[in-house]
Amino acid sequence: VYDATAGCVRIIDQTRLPGRLVLAELRALPDFCRAIVDMQVRGAPLIGIAAAYGLALALRDSSTPQTLAMAAAQLNATRPTAVNLSWALQRVKHAVEDASPPHWPALALAEAAAIAQEEIDACRRIGEAGLPLLESLAGRGPVNILTHCNAGRLATLEWGTATAPIYLAHQRGVPVHVWVSETRPRNQGVGLTAWELQEAGIPYTVIADNAAGALMQAGRVHCVLVGSDRTAANGDVCNKIGTYMKAVLAREHRIPFYAALPLSTVDWDCTDGGRIPIEERAESEVLAVSLCDGQGEAVSRPLSVAGARAWNPAFDVTPAALVTAIITEAGVAPATPEGLSRLRGRRGDHS
Amino acid sequence: VYDATAGCVRIIDQTRLPGRLVLAELRALPDFCRAIVDMQVRGAPLIGIAAAYGLALALRDSSTPQTLAMAAAQLNATRPTAVNLSWALQRVKHAVEDASPPHWPALALAEAAAIAQEEIDACRRIGEAGLPLLESLAGRGPVNILTHCNAGRLATLEWGTATAPIYLAHQRGVPVHVWVSETRPRNQGVGLTAWELQEAGIPYTVIADNAAGALMQAGRVHCVLVGSDRTAANGDVCNKIGTYMKAVLAREHRIPFYAALPLSTVDWDCTDGGRIPIEERAESEVLAVSLCDGQGEAVSRPLSVAGARAWNPAFDVTPAALVTAIITEAGVAPATPEGLSRLRGRRGDHS
């Protein structure tokens, strides 16, 4: 959140959770770039918001066309997959381009705030759009929802994307139970989603990523509900590595698979998921585990033999054919070019 | 390995790998039970061998029918899924039952040694049976084999089950590269299989369990090759949790899925995999990570928020329909009741 008095953005440092709730202050461009690269800030919508504020504060420090171009390029290069990053930077650039440089800081800051507010509203509407889907699955017991990674409050603000229908269902008295897959290698499920759901008082159970298949085999999953880092115009959903495996298993077991995302996550220029750049992160994320020591400091411990190598893609692409529906702030639609375009048109009515 | 002079069995303590190579000495019944429960000794064939020696040493300490019954029951109760455990205990019981108690220790020890030797031979023959399958996949580059968990030397002796064809191919100059999935929650892939392959000089790359789908999507897997903890008479393969997901994904991508196992792992009385008891292990295996501290001692660190719950099945069942073939010491057969019976008959020719 932006603090106008202090002139900085305060974030929850997600690398310290669930051990400690630490707030970090981002004051200048390098702070924002590092926070995104190191995943102190993560989740597609939040990355976009952070980048918008980063650009605004860079302009506050130096309101020149050179800074605008350089800062936007630097921020855009922090992570390749989430399209919200370039989308939010474009919005800030458009917001200032017709004004003279002295007005840029105020305009950029206002645009960043607008993006943040729109994403919060979008997530709330995602909750409303997704709620009937969960209600339709309610039977005698709770609706068992399998999620992956963290597409919750921590990844956006207030509601989350995939978690928005879950929070809303819980508020409205629809009994829900969430299967939280741990989400190796960075453990966003066991570390972040479990923390969020615990705070919200929503029943959940953590599983190893490996157990998702056995869970479906046992008939204990009513739907899969995930977020997205970038969705192609044809409905292919790019999301945290391991999502694709859950989608294939869901179809095998005739379990609906939903992706919940604000339309800011749709890359309208990307005709299919095969064109989405997939970030490959450090081998050490797989070969070692990061955790907090007794003092709450992050430490890394090896899990493998010295000299081991690893391949560590951060995302995978789930083909649209495996996606039962996409849940957005403009409603629910099939994962097809037509379905998404229809939603895009409808979004226009709201904004 | 049994040391007749010292009167104990020496094992590699697998809970200390890959950090340290520590040998542990098992001298009496409680040592064996604890070693199996705590997974210092693991892998279906090795559990059977350890149990046979445990029973033999229990009889050495007290050669009575009461001890025979009690020790066998205690050992049999250590872990529920691997059928090699009850199979090996039965063999020791049969070996002594027609003799008088004073002869039991020697007979039991001889039978345990025979089981160990037979399993080593079986694994070598599994290698020979599986080699042509790998050779048939060899093209211009190395054969890319995806494995799961540890079905290697550490799980048996000398050759391993799933690794036997890989070791043999490597020896014979067939280029191989192994994708090692980390195998949460106990990390047998990243910790044990990587250690083994590194020792053997076989090229490998570790992946998060979540990355197996993306790897197949990218066309980088030529076959999946795993072991088994218990295989039903109809060809359903029970193996480490996560195997089933890889099998479904393999079929989705038309990649052959092989299970390599000695016939001691087949439960002939079990008509289908749904009847196999699946061990559920401690929640802490998922909610925390065990690793070695600076002094090489095992420590456990939390990964989740306090109060989190987890579901932790240790195995899952891959239906026979997803298994391309089963590789045993008696040859390769389809995963069908007829295929397995034919191998059972053939094993008779050897033993």
Side-chain angles (χ1 to χ4, degrees):
Chain A
V1 207
Y2 180 63
D3 179 333
T5 321
C8 71
V9 170
R10 284 210 185 79
I11 58 158
I12 294 178
D13 180 351
Q14 299 193 34
T15 62
R16 306 292 287 277
L17 286 174
R20 291 207 171 176
L21 182 60
V22 176
L23 295 180
E25 296 188 346
L26 310 181
R27 297 181 170 277
L29 181 63
D31 300 342
F32 285 88
C33 291
R34 202 189 45 245
I36 298 173
V37 169
D38 294 349
M39 296 175 67
Q40 293 180 312
V41 165
R42 48 152 292 287
L46 197 56
I47 288 174
I49 295 166
Y53 274 112
L55 185 52
L57 294 200
L59 293 174
R60 182 197 59 189
D61 294 339
S62 158
S63 195
T64 66
Q66 292 78 1
T67 299
L68 181 63
M70 177 278 297
Q74 267 190 40
L75 285 161
N76 199 40
T78 49
R79 296 194 69 193
T81 302
V83 77
N84 306 62
L85 186 60
S86 58
W87 169 86
L89 293 168
Q90 278 303 329
R91 278 197 46 172
V92 174
K93 283 201 264 185
H94 285 315
V96 304
E97 64 189 1
D98 292 335
S100 63
H103 294 106
W104 288 1
L107 289 169
L109 213 46
E111 187 67 9
I115 292 172
Q117 189 55 52
E118 285 172 32
E119 293 291 37
I120 292 172
D121 292 346
C123 287
R124 187 180 45 74
R125 293 211 295 266
I126 287 172
E128 284 162 5
L131 179 63
L133 298 175
L134 298 188
E135 285 175 328
S136 75
L137 294 168
R140 256 170 289 177
V143 182
N144 283 298
I145 302 148
L146 172 65
T147 191
H148 189 58
C149 197
N150 174 264
R153 290 179 179 171
L154 289 166
T156 58
L157 289 166
E158 302 201 17
W159 286 91
T161 54
T163 53
I166 298 171
Y167 285 129
L168 197 61
H170 181 68
Q171 281 182 13
R172 302 266 172 95
V174 179
V176 288
H177 168 262
V178 184
W179 293 107
V180 174
S181 64
E182 61 176 345
T183 317
R184 282 281 296 159
R186 290 186 64 99
N187 300 331
Q188 291 96 331
V190 63
L192 303 180
T193 302
W195 180 86
E196 261 200 57
L197 295 174
Q198 179 113 339
E199 293 277 305
I202 294 177
Y204 71 93
T205 308
V206 179
I207 57 165
D209 298 311
N210 280 325
L215 202 57
M216 294 188 195
Q217 245 180 346
R220 298 171 74 182
V221 178
H222 296 120
C223 72
V224 181
L225 179 51
V226 298
S228 172
D229 293 85
R230 187 187 302 209
T231 289
N234 71 341
D236 289 350
V237 172
C238 179
N239 189 44
K240 178 57 52 193
I241 190 75
T243 301
Y244 170 60
M245 296 178 73
K246 290 185 169 63
V248 171
L249 267 292
R251 193 193 45 187
E252 174 83 5
H253 292 281
R254 301 172 187 281
I255 295 166
F257 178 96
Y258 299 116
L261 46 116
L263 289 170
S264 59
T265 296
V266 179
D267 183 349
W268 301 103
D269 298 328
C270 180
T271 50
D272 73 88
R275 298 167 188 272
I276 297 173
I278 302 294
E279 178 180 12
E280 294 193 12
R281 294 185 60 90
E283 295 177 74
S284 60
E285 291 188 348
V286 176
L287 299 173
V289 66
S290 288
L291 27 78
C292 289
D293 66 8
Q295 282 72 51
E297 294 301 314
V299 292
S300 175
R301 297 286 185 189
L303 292 173
S304 196
V305 63
R309 301 298 307 267
W311 179 59
N312 184 22
F315 305 98
D316 58 27
V317 174
T318 297
L322 297 175
V323 179
T324 310
I326 290 182
I327 306 171
T328 74
E329 69 271 37
V332 176
T336 59
E338 302 71 34
L340 284 174
S341 314
R342 211 158 54 232
L343 294 179
R344 188 184 199 180
R346 231 185 279 166
R347 193 195 196 190
D349 306 343
H350 291 276
S351 57
Chain B
V1 207
Y2 181 63
D3 178 333
T5 321
C8 71
V9 170
R10 283 211 185 79
I11 59 159
I12 294 177
D13 180 351
Q14 299 193 33
T15 62
R16 306 293 286 277
L17 286 173
R20 290 207 172 176
L21 182 60
V22 176
L23 295 180
E25 295 188 347
L26 310 181
R27 299 181 168 276
L29 181 62
D31 299 342
F32 285 89
C33 291
R34 201 189 47 245
I36 298 172
V37 168
D38 292 349
M39 295 176 66
Q40 293 181 312
V41 164
R42 50 152 289 287
L46 197 56
I47 288 174
I49 295 166
Y53 274 112
L55 186 52
L57 295 199
L59 293 175
R60 182 197 60 189
D61 294 340
S62 156
S63 192
T64 66
Q66 291 79 0
T67 299
L68 181 63
M70 178 277 297
Q74 268 190 39
L75 286 161
N76 199 40
T78 48
R79 295 192 69 192
T81 302
V83 75
N84 307 62
L85 186 61
S86 59
W87 170 84
L89 292 168
Q90 278 302 330
R91 278 197 46 173
V92 174
K93 282 202 263 185
H94 285 316
V96 304
E97 65 189 359
D98 292 336
S100 63
H103 294 105
W104 287 1
L107 289 170
L109 214 45
E111 188 67 10
I115 292 171
Q117 189 55 53
E118 285 172 31
E119 293 290 38
I120 292 172
D121 292 346
C123 287
R124 187 180 45 74
R125 293 211 295 266
I126 286 171
E128 284 161 6
L131 179 62
L133 298 176
L134 297 187
E135 285 175 329
S136 74
L137 295 168
R140 256 171 289 178
V143 183
N144 283 298
I145 302 148
L146 172 64
T147 191
H148 188 58
C149 196
N150 174 265
R153 291 182 176 168
L154 289 166
T156 59
L157 290 165
E158 303 201 16
W159 286 91
T161 54
T163 53
I166 299 171
Y167 284 129
L168 197 61
H170 182 66
Q171 281 183 13
R172 302 267 173 93
V174 180
V176 289
H177 168 264
V178 184
W179 294 106
V180 174
S181 64
E182 60 175 347
T183 318
R184 280 281 297 160
R186 290 187 64 100
N187 300 332
Q188 292 97 330
V190 63
L192 304 179
T193 302
W195 180 86
E196 260 199 57
L197 295 174
Q198 179 114 340
E199 294 277 305
I202 294 176
Y204 71 93
T205 308
V206 179
I207 56 165
D209 298 311
N210 279 326
L215 201 58
M216 294 188 196
Q217 245 179 346
R220 298 171 75 182
V221 178
H222 296 120
C223 72
V224 180
L225 179 51
V226 299
S228 172
D229 294 85
R230 187 187 303 210
T231 289
N234 71 340
D236 289 350
V237 172
C238 178
N239 191 44
K240 179 57 52 193
I241 190 76
T243 302
Y244 170 60
M245 296 177 74
K246 291 185 168 64
V248 171
L249 267 292
R251 194 193 44 187
E252 175 82 4
H253 292 281
R254 302 173 187 279
I255 294 166
F257 178 95
Y258 299 116
L261 47 115
L263 289 170
S264 60
T265 295
V266 180
D267 183 349
W268 301 103
D269 298 329
C270 180
T271 50
D272 73 87
R275 298 167 188 272
I276 297 174
I278 302 294
E279 178 179 11
E280 293 191 13
R281 295 185 61 90
E283 293 176 76
S284 60
E285 291 187 349
V286 176
L287 298 173
V289 67
S290 288
L291 27 78
C292 288
D293 66 9
Q295 283 70 51
E297 295 300 313
V299 292
S300 175
R301 297 285 184 191
L303 292 173
S304 197
V305 63
R309 301 297 308 265
W311 179 60
N312 184 22
F315 305 97
D316 59 27
V317 173
T318 297
L322 297 176
V323 179
T324 309
I326 290 182
I327 307 172
T328 74
E329 70 271 37
V332 176
T336 59
E338 303 71 35
L340 284 174
S341 315
R342 211 158 53 233
L343 295 178
R344 188 185 200 181
R346 230 185 280 166
R347 193 198 195 187
D349 306 343
H350 290 277
S351 58

